[in-house]
Amino acid sequence: MTMNRKLVLPIDRGSPLPIYYQLKEALKQQIESGALKPHERVPSERELEEAYHISRMTARRALEELEAEGYIYRAQGKGSFVAEPKIRQGLLWLTSFTEDMRERGMRAGARVLRAEVVSDERVARKLGIGSGEEFVMLQRLRLADGEPMALETSYLRRRFCPGLEGHDFTDRSLYSTLQEEYGLRLGRAEQAVEAKVADGFEAELLGVKPGAPMLSMERITYLDDGQTPIEYVRSIYRGDRYKLYVELKRR
Ligand code: GLP
């Protein structure tokens, strides 16, 4: 295969920056500017090696880092391709995964891993309620147009939504079920975000490598009275597919 002709990457051998890094940044710039489009093939290790007279190791490192950061994906035996841009997740509104996906013209889905009644002292403490209360625990792999995006583990206070575990959440929104079946209106949530790396279990489910970057979010959701906690959720979103967005105003 011939090397993409429009791709002439600036590499400066006199620069103190390592060559692999220059190559990586140059490819990144081509992707961000749209010169390389989603699903377009990017040069292989061998092509980079030949075109820029660099070692195979250098070319590999540039491509590996671009992959880890979500700029490219590799298809076994076919080469590397430009990834879709990351999903930009606003942090201002209390929305559901289903609503977020619908807004982007994507279809939300889930693989339900667990739906059961549990007691969990740690969760009760987080919600500031009595430790005897039961929860409906729902663990779902969230899909966007069939692609795994996040692993979500939600705990709902059972006394507000008895029988919730009996619904099939494969194609169904939790938030609309709470509203439509139980008349529960959500008012607000508190959410914290932190970085983490994927463990083996998460990596396998989400189709990433163990150690891949993830966004870990913890949410406590309250009813529309603003003070009755109803849900505790831990969500682990793919760091290569998601970026968080918030608008800041100057004080
Ligand atoms: C988002 C939030 C979760 C919430 C979920 C509900 O993904 N991170 O905290 O539980 O939405 O989604 P849905 O109503 O689509 O089931």
Side-chain angles (χ1 to χ4, degrees):
M1 241 183 268
T2 53
M3 178 112 155
N4 194 328
R5 257 204 217 98
K6 62 186 174 188
L7 214 62
V8 181
L9 307 170
I11 302 293
D12 174 4
R13 284 172 201 280
S15 160
L17 296 173
I19 304 285
Y20 93 85
Y21 182 78
Q22 292 186 45
L23 193 61
K24 172 185 154 191
E25 290 303 307
L27 282 166
K28 218 190 245 187
Q29 206 265 325
Q30 297 283 317
I31 293 169
E32 278 169 349
S33 71
L36 280 170
K37 303 252 171 329
H39 308 294
E40 195 172 322
R41 201 176 75 85
V42 298
S44 66
E45 287 172 15
R46 192 172 51 76
E47 288 163 343
L48 290 170
E49 180 185 356
E50 284 167 8
Y52 296 100
H53 308 290
I54 55 177
S55 75
R56 182 66 69 98
M57 277 288 290
T58 300
R60 181 171 306 154
R61 182 147 181 213
L63 293 180
E64 274 173 2
E65 290 197 7
L66 286 169
E67 186 190 13
E69 289 173 32
Y71 285 93
I72 64 171
Y73 64 94
R74 309 230 198 180
Q76 265 288 305
K78 294 200 185 114
S80 303
F81 301 85
V82 177
E84 292 273 348
K86 289 187 184 181
I87 292 176
R88 206 170 87 137
Q89 176 68 51
L91 285 179
L92 201 54
W93 302 103
L94 173 52
T95 54
S96 72
F97 184 82
T98 306
E99 290 162 345
D100 292 343
M101 291 305 121
R102 198 176 297 141
E103 203 179 294
R104 295 182 180 90
M106 298 171 101
R107 203 177 57 83
R111 207 176 112 202
V112 180
L113 304 172
R114 290 169 77 179
E116 57 202 55
V117 176
V118 299
S119 301
D120 193 309
E121 245 179 72
R122 210 180 56 102
V123 173
R125 222 176 305 123
K126 294 242 184 211
L127 296 181
I129 58 172
S131 63
E133 245 193 80
E134 284 180 323
F135 299 100
V136 174
M137 189 256 246
L138 190 59
Q139 188 172 49
R140 297 177 289 172
L141 180 68
R142 307 306 310 260
L143 313 169
D145 285 343
E147 187 191 3
M149 288 291 168
L151 179 63
E152 293 200 309
T153 313
S154 313
Y155 295 83
L156 288 305
R157 294 174 75 182
R158 188 181 183 213
R159 54 189 285 204
F160 289 97
C161 50
L164 184 74
E165 69 281 6
H167 292 86
D168 178 6
F169 284 99
T170 311
D171 274 312
R172 195 184 176 114
S173 157
L174 170 63
Y175 283 4
S176 54
T177 304
L178 290 178
Q179 170 145 359
E180 284 154 24
E181 307 279 325
Y182 297 93
L184 298 171
R185 295 184 63 88
L186 306 178
R188 68 179 186 94
E190 290 158 8
Q191 183 162 301
V193 185
E194 63 188 320
K196 81 174 229 80
V197 295
D199 64 25
F201 174 66
E202 294 155 356
E204 195 178 323
L205 284 169
L206 290 161
V208 299
K209 293 194 177 125
M214 295 283 151
L215 293 166
S216 169
M217 302 192 228
E218 193 178 48
R219 178 186 286 185
I220 295 174
T221 315
Y222 298 84
L223 294 178
D224 62 354
D225 64 1
Q227 54 184 3
T228 309
I230 176 79
E231 177 193 45
Y232 170 78
V233 203
R234 242 195 89 136
S235 311
I236 296 159
Y237 280 76
R238 280 173 58 175
D240 62 337
R241 298 294 289 119
Y242 262 83
K243 69 164 99 173
L244 303 176
Y245 172 81
V246 66
E247 188 190 323
L248 306 174
K249 295 199 172 75
R250 183 85 169 138
R251 263 212 288 241

